[in-house]
Amino acid sequence: CRFGVCLGGMDIERVDTRNSAAVWYELLRAAHPVDTPEDPPPCRDDAVGQLVHPRSDRESLLFAARAEGTPLGAYLLQRSLLENTDTACFELVVHPAHRRRGVGRALIEHLAGQAKALGCTRLVAEVEDPLGEDGPGSRFATALGFTPVLRERRRRLDLAAVDPGEHERLLAAARERSAGYTTVCWRDYAPEEHAADYAYLFGRLSADAPMDDLAWEPERYDIERIRTLERHILLRGFRSYAAAARHDATGRLVGVTRISLPGCHRHFAYQEETLVLPEHRGRRLGLRLKIENLLWARRHEPELRLIDTWNADSNDWMVAINERLGFRELRRSAEWEKRL
Ligand code: ACO
């Protein structure tokens, strides 16, 4: 018996992610039909790619619990090396065939030890729940002493359910309200002449997006760091489409939005970060950029149909835009924190 539970010789060991990262993908793949059958399955390139090609601004550690060689569960600890260095962000999954036997609890205890050894003072993870009730993740998190600090909702846009004329009408009105701005679109890498502005906007997001009770030190991005991130996203197999608003009077980018498609899917994408600088808000630039980017992505991805996004419940502005675009609630989600 180890870690306070008898699990028939279970061991928790660090995984050499350069050679054995597939265990993470196999666990995600096993959990998918049980936990989120309504979602497209995870992509191998994404799950393995993030481990084989780690970001240089982060530390990533994968630990797996095994009994007689069989993987029971694993956690992936990620810590930024530049800011919020006191925070161990993590994902945890236990194989559905081995749940409710204390594997999750043992992995969290092990994670807490690893995080402390890195000098971290808190653990943070995102947990998703069905809309109406608490799911296993949040019940487990509560039992393990975590508290929710940022409540969010995951929404899904089904393009087949949207009247195509509606987006056109919204876009025409938004363009009228935002004269004096030009849309610049790109794939994967921001054009060289806009890379510095894009890096600044990207960093601003962590300062401007509502964080509720999650204390979060703003992230600073320069050209080198944004290029590292863009490369990392590509190495995980994603195809990215971005649209930015250029303020014609100054030539500067003042807003941006991005859609990304996981490598193994043609019909499914994530609506990623969107930001408009405060002094340029109130002109429907956010709505305009999102629709223009959707059109841009669909030119290259004709099979695109489902798009998922996450917003803080307190982010009234972004939620209102998404609802107007046709995004509908799919699940609740939250960031959970545990002080060590
Ligand atoms: N319903 C109610 N309570 C639960 C459940 C559940 N389905 N699962 C765990 N708990 C609570 C119980 O209090 C349990 O103690 P008990 O069995 O003595 O009653 C306690 O959590 C510890 O349970 P474990 O057996 O250690 O947890 P398990 O190995 O089953 O793993 C986990 C739980 C990680 C949530 C698993 O269901 C899973 O992989 N889910 C999908 C991924 C996920 O949701 N990850 C988020 C984890 S939470 C976080 O990261 C902060």
Side-chain angles (χ1 to χ4, degrees):
C1 296
R2 300 180 65 186
F3 308 106
V5 281
C6 298
L7 286 161
M10 181 181 77
D11 273 314
I12 299 177
E13 276 175 1
R14 179 143 180 214
V15 177
D16 169 8
T17 45
R18 298 240 162 232
N19 298 310
S20 316
V23 64
W24 182 241
Y25 169 65
E26 293 303 338
L27 286 165
L28 296 179
R29 199 166 68 129
H32 165 258
V34 176
D35 296 328
T36 51
E38 64 278 25
D39 291 354
C43 294
R44 197 177 198 285
D45 284 355
D46 177 20
V48 172
Q50 66 170 322
L51 299 166
V52 175
H53 308 287
R55 277 171 65 168
S56 53
D57 56 357
R58 278 190 197 170
E59 190 160 28
S60 296
L61 303 175
L62 179 66
F63 282 86
R66 288 193 172 86
E68 289 162 15
T70 304
L72 309 175
Y75 69 81
L76 174 61
L77 182 167
Q78 308 220 54
R79 184 177 76 118
S80 169
L81 298 170
L82 298 177
E83 60 277 301
N84 300 297
T85 53
D86 64 336
T87 307
C89 295
F90 73 95
E91 290 172 59
L92 164 69
V93 62
V94 173
H95 192 290
H98 303 290
R99 290 185 182 169
R100 298 309 292 269
R101 293 169 54 202
V103 177
R105 188 186 290 278
L107 282 166
I108 290 284
E109 283 172 17
H110 190 275
L111 162 67
Q114 289 297 318
K116 279 189 202 158
L118 293 173
C120 296
T121 56
R122 61 173 175 166
L123 307 176
V124 171
E126 189 189 88
V127 180
E128 290 203 355
D129 281 316
L131 283 174
E133 47 176 324
D134 285 349
S138 65
R139 285 182 194 178
F140 170 80
T142 304
L144 272 285
F146 285 77
T147 47
V149 283
L150 173 59
R151 294 199 183 269
E152 299 170 311
R153 237 155 261 242
R154 177 173 177 156
R155 289 179 175 77
R156 179 167 289 174
L157 174 64
D158 182 348
L159 289 169
V162 172
D163 162 17
E166 179 61 8
H167 279 187
E168 278 165 32
R169 282 189 289 278
L170 286 170
L171 179 57
R175 279 190 179 141
E176 220 170 278
R177 280 275 293 277
S178 55
Y181 298 83
T182 306
T183 305
V184 181
C185 296
W186 65 82
R187 287 179 72 168
D188 301 328
Y189 286 102
E192 202 53 47
E193 68 270 28
H194 295 306
D197 282 352
Y198 177 48
Y200 174 73
L201 290 171
F202 199 92
R204 271 296 288 268
L205 204 93
S206 62
D208 287 15
M211 293 287 181
D212 296 356
D213 297 327
L214 176 65
W216 201 254
E217 190 188 336
E219 296 161 17
R220 288 168 303 278
Y221 276 79
D222 56 13
I223 295 182
E224 193 188 336
R225 193 173 180 195
I226 203 75
R227 291 302 191 210
T228 303
L229 177 65
E230 289 172 326
R231 200 163 43 248
H232 178 76
I233 290 169
L234 265 180
L235 288 169
R236 287 173 71 166
F238 285 92
R239 311 187 292 288
S240 279
Y241 299 89
R246 195 185 64 211
H247 184 222
D248 294 336
T250 58
R252 306 297 300 270
L253 297 190
V254 299
V256 71
T257 191
R258 187 170 69 91
I259 286 173
S260 73
L261 285 87
C264 66
H265 297 302
R266 305 232 146 258
H267 73 298
F268 177 74
Y270 297 108
Q271 167 60 62
E272 310 272 11
E273 54 291 326
T274 302
L275 175 88
V276 175
L277 291 178
E279 52 276 34
H280 298 274
R281 290 181 191 160
R283 296 174 172 87
R284 301 230 182 120
L285 275 173
L287 185 70
R288 170 175 162 180
L289 286 178
K290 280 199 160 174
I291 300 176
E292 299 208 86
N293 198 34
L294 204 47
L295 295 172
W296 166 241
R298 291 181 83 182
R299 267 172 54 189
H300 301 274
E301 307 284 348
E303 292 169 47
L304 180 57
R305 182 172 158 197
L306 301 177
I307 304 161
D308 283 13
T309 197
W310 287 258
N311 300 115
D313 289 352
S314 58
N315 194 345
D316 297 335
W317 172 78
M318 200 72 260
V319 169
I321 288 179
N322 287 339
E323 291 281 345
R324 287 181 82 174
L325 289 173
F327 282 90
R328 296 293 172 254
E329 290 180 8
L330 181 70
R331 287 197 286 277
R332 287 183 293 139
S333 81
E335 299 293 334
W336 291 70
E337 179 183 276
K338 181 173 172 143
R339 295 272 166 188
L340 294 172

